[in-house]
C-alpha cells in the first residue's frame, strides 16, 4: 500500500503564532512531497514542491518566508505557517510521490490539516 | 505554467446513467493525467490515471480517454451509483514534477 499521514488533523491558534504541520509517508520513501491548500468547495492549489535534501520550490504567489518547508528525510516533510493570520485559515493537504517500476509515479494524499487562525 | 480547466462544475445524473467529466490542459509537456475523487472532508483518492502513451484506460465502471493532439482528457463513469456522489478532480503533471488540478466537478447521483 501507500499511506500518508498528516499531523495535526486540526489546529486552532492565535494570530501571530506559528504552526507546524507534519506530513509522513508511512510505508514508502518519498523524495518528493507536495503541499496544497484547499478552500471550501474549491480545488487544490499547489503551494510548493518539497524535495528531500534540497530547498522547496514554491509556486508563484506563495511566500516562501511565510510558508516554511523542510524535507529532512525521505519520509517526512514539514510545513510551518509563520506568524499566522486569519486569512491563512484553510485546509492544508500534503501528498507524497511514490515511484513504481518503469519510472512511473503515483501521488498519495495525506488526510489534511484544518487550520483556524483566530 | 500549466493551466487545467474542468467542466462541468456540477453534474447531476440518475442512478444507472453515465457521467462524463472533461478536462483540458495547456502544457504539451504534461504526460500524466490522474483523476481523484474527494468526499466531503476527506483526502482526494486516486481512482484512475492515464499516461500519454495510451489513448484510453478502463477499470470496471470507470474509464479515461486522452487526446494529446487536442490536449483534453475525460472521465467516464457508467452505471452510476449513489456512492459515486463526490467531487472529482482531474490533474496534469509532467513526470515527477508538479501536479496541477482542475477546478473540480461536484457529481450527484440521484437514486
Amino acid at each position: 500500500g501507500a499511506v500518508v499521514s498528516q499531523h495535526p488533523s486540526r489546529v486552532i491558534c492565535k494570530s501571530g503564532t506559528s504552526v507546524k504541520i507534519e506530513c509522513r509517508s508511512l510505508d514508502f520513501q518519498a523524495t518528493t512531497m507536495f503541499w496544497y491548500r484547499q478552500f471550501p468547495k474549491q480545488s487544490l492549489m499547489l503551494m510548493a514542491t518539497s524535495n528531500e535534501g534540497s530547498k522547496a520550490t514554491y509556486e508563484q504567489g506563495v511566500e516562501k518566508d511565510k510558508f516554511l518547508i523542510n524535507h529532512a528525510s525521505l519520509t517526512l516533510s514539514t510545513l510551518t505557517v509563520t506568524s499566522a493570520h486569519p486569512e491563512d485559515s484553510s485546509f492544508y493537504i500534503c501528498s507524497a510521490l511514490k515511484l513504481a517500476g518503469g519510472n512511473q509515479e503515483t501521488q498519495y494524499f495525506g488526510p489534511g490539516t484544518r487550520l483556524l487562525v483566530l | 505554467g500549466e493551466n487545467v480547466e474542468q467542466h462541468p462544475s456540477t453534474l447531476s445524473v440518475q442512478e444507472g446513467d453515465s457521467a462524463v467529466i472533461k478536462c483540458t490542459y495547456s502544457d504539451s509537456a504534461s504526460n500524466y493525467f490522474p483523476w481523484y475523487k474527494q468526499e466531503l472532508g476527506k483526502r482526494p483518492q486516486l481512482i484512475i490515471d492515464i499516461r500519454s502513451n495510451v489513448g484510453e484506460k478502463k477499470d470496471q465502471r470507470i474509464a479515461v480517454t486522452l487526446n494529446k493532439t487536442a490536449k483534453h482528457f475525460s472521465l467516464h463513469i457508467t452505471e452510476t451509483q449513489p456512492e459515486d456522489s463526490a467531487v472529482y478532480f482531474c490533474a496534469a503533471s509532467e513526470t515527477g514534477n508538479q501536479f496541477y488540478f482542475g477546478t473540480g466537478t461536484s457529481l450527484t447521483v440521484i437514486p
Side-chain angles (χ1 to χ4, degrees):
Chain A
V3 180
V4 178
S5 71
Q6 210 171 318
H7 178 80
S9 59
R10 289 178 178 271
V11 57
I12 301 173
C13 69
K14 292 182 179 180
S15 184
T17 60
S18 294
V19 176
K20 180 187 282 189
I21 303 170
E22 293 185 349
C23 179
R24 293 181 186 272
S25 55
L26 298 185
D27 54 356
F28 66 100
Q29 293 184 330
T31 305
T32 302
M33 292 184 175
F34 301 101
W35 286 96
Y36 296 88
R37 185 172 178 176
Q38 187 176 33
F39 292 101
K41 297 185 179 180
Q42 293 191 25
S43 188
L44 291 91
M45 184 193 77
L46 179 65
M47 298 175 65
T49 301
S50 171
N51 295 298
E52 187 269 337
S54 63
K55 291 183 178 180
T57 303
Y58 290 82
E59 293 299 298
Q60 192 172 8
V62 179
E63 299 176 56
K64 62 180 181 180
D65 295 330
K66 170 78 172 175
F67 299 99
L68 300 178
I69 292 172
N70 183 23
H71 195 151
S73 76
L74 288 172
T75 59
L76 173 65
S77 175
T78 60
L79 168 69
T80 301
V81 183
T82 63
S83 187
H85 291 283
E87 56 266 30
D88 298 325
S89 299
S90 190
F91 191 53
Y92 292 88
I93 306 180
C94 72
S95 69
L97 211 56
K98 181 179 181 181
L99 291 178
N103 201 33
Q104 296 187 341
E105 75 297 309
T106 303
Q107 180 177 212
Y108 293 92
F109 284 89
T113 296
R114 191 160 299 284
L115 170 64
L116 177 61
V117 185
L118 302 177
Chain B
E2 175 66 280
N3 180 41
V4 179
E5 296 189 356
Q6 184 172 345
H7 299 279
S9 57
T10 59
L11 179 60
S12 292
V13 298
Q14 290 291 135
E15 183 177 359
D17 287 350
S18 296
V20 180
I21 303 170
K22 299 181 179 180
C23 287
T24 61
Y25 62 100
S26 61
D27 189 350
S28 57
S30 292
N31 54 16
Y32 175 57
F33 308 94
W35 284 89
Y36 296 90
K37 176 182 179 183
Q38 187 179 28
E39 297 176 0
L40 190 64
K42 296 187 177 181
R43 76 186 83 190
Q45 298 273 15
L46 177 70
I47 56 171
I48 196 168
D49 56 12
I50 192 167
R51 301 185 190 272
S52 59
N53 57 344
V54 297
E56 184 174 358
K57 184 176 179 181
K58 189 173 181 180
D59 183 4
Q60 298 182 348
R61 297 187 296 109
I62 297 173
V64 57
T65 59
L66 171 65
N67 184 325
K68 285 180 58 181
T69 304
K71 295 197 188 72
H72 66 70
F73 55 111
S74 300
L75 176 71
H76 304 252
I77 306 175
T78 59
E79 301 172 33
T80 53
Q81 301 167 2
E83 50 265 39
D84 294 331
S85 297
V87 178
Y88 291 81
F89 293 100
C90 64
S93 172
E94 185 183 354
T95 303
N97 292 334
Q98 298 92 329
F99 286 74
Y100 295 97
F101 282 74
T103 48
T105 297
S106 178
L107 173 65
T108 301
V109 180
I110 304 167

